[in-house]
Amino acid sequence: MGPGRTALRTSAAGVVCAALLAGGVVGLAPAAEAAPAVRFVDIAGDGGTVLKANVVTPAGSDGAHRYPLLVLPTSWGFPQVEYLAQAQRLADAGYVVLAYNVRGFWQSGGRVEVAGPPDTADASRVIDWALAHTPADPGRIGMAGVSYGAGISLLAAAHDKRIRAVAALSGWADLISSIYPNRTQSVEAAAVLDGAASLTGRESPELREIFDNLYSSNLSKEQQMIDWGRKRSVATYVDRLNSNHPAVMLANAWGDSVFPVNQYADFYDKLTVPKRLELRPGDHATAELPGLFGLPNDVWTDTGRWFDHYLRGVDNGVDREPPVHVEPRGSGGYEDYPDWKSLAATRRKIALAGSPTIHAGVDSGADGGTVFLSSLLDQIVRLPPVASVPLLPRRWAAVWQSERYGAAQRVRGTATLHTTLTPTAESGTLIAYLYDVGPLGFGKLVTHAPYTWHGRTPGEPFDVHLDLFSTAYDVPAGHRLALVVDTVDPLYIEHNPSGAQLTFSSRPDDPSYLSVPVREQ
């Protein structure tokens, strides 16, 4: 992908981010006015960096009584008033709530470190300040946040034993698998983050280098980027987190285009602490966004219940409920499971017969949509990205379809593609899409995932085993499932040389298939 195309996407993403940020600040202003007890303070973070913060304490607190403490780091690009509506509600429930602007953004000092060691140390300094200057109980400390605040909260809990409960909303556990899934750059998501940091913060030189290397596909710096991301991923410190033993609630959206749900589900399985996983329709941070405006919101309600039990000792039953709580896309209702693997009772395979060859470098018309917008439309009006599957040009897209189903298929979990691929070039990218195809041939996107390879011998086949992004979607009776594979998607940087071709085959000793997780009726 050329630099002009990247610049265009970066500019567009910056405009989108600016609009989202402006709407958030305007919408939150009334919540700030409705909370006259808010105290705005400066806190010395790691190395003396000034962090702008606000504190809300329970009404009538006089220092004689200690209250559980909740620390809320802000989201990427958002100011310190982000959580005021929820902070007031939590303070009314009996918490000292301290929200702070993370370093590098808005009026806080320092530079954006992307949840690096200074950010983790800042969280501990904020807790120190709260214990010294508020009626906070040192034995009952929790952290919560949306997006960037979620990631910092999880990392802080892995490094500070005082944190006894966490609610990480729309965050990440593995940063590299989020922005660099299967060695493919999520360029639209990265451009949104870059645009927000440029508008509202001050990027560190290290972060600027990471973005530049990502956009330019600098493979000589790939390992450096992976090491940088691992240091900022709580999955790296899962043993330490389990040892500290805080109660951890994870919440995300099925269509999160910044932090796909797979990485949260994988991390959830590795936790041995009290834990809960909630997944809903939507895109990045859209499921909890209404709660930031003070509106009724399931995510924030469950967050309050989580802290009420693990910090205030309220017997509200949250510890006895099935810990995996999901709302399938378009269903309007919830399903509960004892663990992640229980979502799908069986797996059904769609055979990928034949040996289609596609030409790379042209968008076939199948794509994953637009960052933020597409999954938001799916959440609100149940309109995911669509494609006319019969009209997709077979020169640029390989297509396989299931039989027409006589009963609804309740897809739950992670679909997996297994095939043999023979490329004509040593590097390349493919994107696999799963569609729900109706009687007229129009397909609604169920899920997708990219895959990139480097250093392969041209003309030599190799196995591809690709997990698509996890989802929960009901395919109506009378519809089919279709797997579409092409080589270009606006969401990603592709690595296909001009004139490259890809051939898919199914060997007798290793047949190609798509494995679809299905919950029985």
Side-chain angles (χ1 to χ4, degrees):
M1 185 180 69
R5 192 172 175 187
T6 299
L8 179 62
R9 284 181 178 166
T10 304
S11 299
V15 171
V16 171
C17 181
L20 288 171
L21 182 59
V25 173
V26 171
L28 287 169
E33 294 174 0
V38 174
R39 180 160 57 109
F40 291 88
V41 299
D42 290 351
I43 298 175
D46 186 51
T49 297
V50 174
L51 304 175
K52 297 293 183 177
N54 56 72
V55 183
V56 186
T57 53
S61 59
D62 56 7
H65 181 74
R66 292 288 174 180
Y67 302 90
L69 169 67
L70 292 181
V71 176
L72 311 178
T74 52
S75 302
W76 185 275
F78 274 73
Q80 59 170 307
V81 296
E82 175 186 7
Y83 300 114
L84 276 178
Q86 287 301 322
Q88 185 65 57
R89 292 186 176 189
L90 290 164
D92 288 343
Y95 295 91
V96 172
V97 185
L98 193 159
Y100 72 96
N101 227 129
V102 292
R103 66 170 53 222
F105 285 105
W106 293 86
Q107 285 80 34
S108 284
R111 294 187 176 272
V112 181
E113 301 287 347
V114 195
D119 292 296
T120 305
D122 283 346
S124 292
R125 300 292 82 75
V126 168
I127 292 172
D128 293 341
W129 186 94
L131 294 178
H133 296 89
T134 74
D137 185 342
R140 296 185 291 167
I141 299 173
M143 286 192 69
V146 176
S147 184
Y148 194 37
I152 291 175
S153 295
L154 286 170
L155 285 161
H159 289 83
D160 192 326
K161 294 181 179 181
R162 296 175 296 179
I163 300 169
R164 306 314 311 141
V166 176
L169 317 179
S170 291
W172 76 91
D174 186 332
L175 190 59
I176 291 302
S177 71
S178 298
I179 64 172
Y180 194 52
N182 304 304
R183 302 185 75 183
T184 313
Q185 296 94 328
S186 295
V187 66
E188 283 194 5
V192 168
L193 298 174
D194 191 4
S198 298
L199 285 168
T200 65
R202 300 164 302 281
E203 296 176 347
S204 68
E206 184 181 30
L207 175 57
R208 185 67 262 158
E209 182 182 2
I210 290 293
F211 275 131
D212 290 343
N213 290 334
L214 190 78
Y215 295 141
S216 64
S217 305
N218 188 348
L219 287 178
S220 68
K221 299 292 186 178
E222 182 182 41
Q223 190 58 50
Q224 175 185 327
M225 181 180 68
I226 291 172
D227 293 341
W228 173 87
R230 285 175 176 163
K231 186 183 295 185
R232 291 158 170 82
S233 299
V234 70
T236 304
Y237 312 102
V238 65
D239 291 341
R240 187 181 301 180
L241 185 68
N242 284 332
S243 177
N244 289 349
H245 207 67
V248 176
M249 172 180 158
L250 307 172
N252 208 341
W254 293 114
D256 195 315
S257 50
V258 180
F259 304 131
V261 298
N262 295 48
Q263 45 92 35
Y264 249 15
D266 292 344
F267 176 67
Y268 174 84
D269 277 344
K270 296 174 184 176
L271 289 174
T272 59
V273 302
K275 59 184 179 178
R276 183 175 178 88
L277 176 65
E278 300 192 355
L279 299 170
R280 296 172 172 85
D283 206 312
H284 183 63
T286 63
E288 51 274 297
L289 183 62
L292 295 179
F293 290 85
L295 300 174
N297 181 258
D298 288 352
V299 187
W300 284 103
T301 296
D302 288 349
T303 296
R305 295 177 66 233
W306 190 252
F307 287 130
D308 282 348
H309 179 75
Y310 287 102
L311 295 183
R312 294 178 59 225
V314 177
D315 185 13
N316 55 19
V318 73
D319 57 322
R320 298 186 296 274
E321 296 172 1
V324 178
H325 184 65
V326 305
E327 180 185 358
R329 293 161 51 197
S331 75
Y334 286 97
E335 298 173 356
D336 293 306
Y337 301 90
D339 49 42
W340 173 251
K341 67 181 180 181
S342 297
L343 264 72
T346 61
R347 299 192 72 91
R348 294 179 180 165
K349 289 185 177 181
I350 299 173
L352 308 181
S355 298
T357 295
I358 61 174
H359 295 252
V362 176
D363 192 336
S364 70
D367 66 58
T370 302
V371 65
F372 286 121
L373 178 60
S374 295
S375 291
L376 183 60
L377 288 173
D378 186 28
Q379 176 185 359
I380 296 174
V381 296
R382 301 182 182 180
L383 182 62
V386 298
S388 176
V389 174
L391 297 182
L392 291 175
R394 273 31 177 195
R395 177 179 176 85
W396 298 304
V399 180
W400 296 268
Q401 295 192 74
S402 72
E403 76 280 4
R404 197 180 304 277
Y405 295 113
Q409 304 296 297
R410 302 165 73 182
V411 178
R412 300 289 186 274
T414 309
T416 301
L417 165 64
H418 177 78
T419 189
T420 299
L421 174 64
T422 305
T424 61
E426 61 92 20
S427 293
T429 298
L430 62 82
I431 304 93
Y433 310 90
L434 183 61
Y435 283 100
D436 160 23
V437 184
L440 299 180
F442 287 101
K444 294 182 178 180
L445 187 66
V446 177
T447 183
H448 79 285
Y451 181 88
T452 293
W453 63 93
H454 298 286
R456 292 289 179 176
T457 302
E460 184 174 304
F462 64 92
D463 289 339
V464 172
H465 197 81
L466 172 63
D467 285 341
L468 278 61
F469 298 141
S470 303
T471 194
Y473 182 98
D474 292 347
V475 180
H479 286 212
R480 305 173 187 268
L481 283 172
L483 175 70
V484 177
V485 181
D486 71 3
T487 61
V488 175
D489 190 297
L491 290 172
Y492 307 104
I493 292 178
E494 49 94 2
H495 298 266
N496 300 291
S498 178
Q501 298 179 30
L502 310 180
T503 298
F504 302 90
S505 57
S506 182
R507 303 197 308 266
D509 61 332
D510 186 18
S512 296
Y513 60 85
L514 177 74
S515 175
V516 181
V518 179
R519 182 186 180 190
E520 297 294 349
Q521 301 296 329

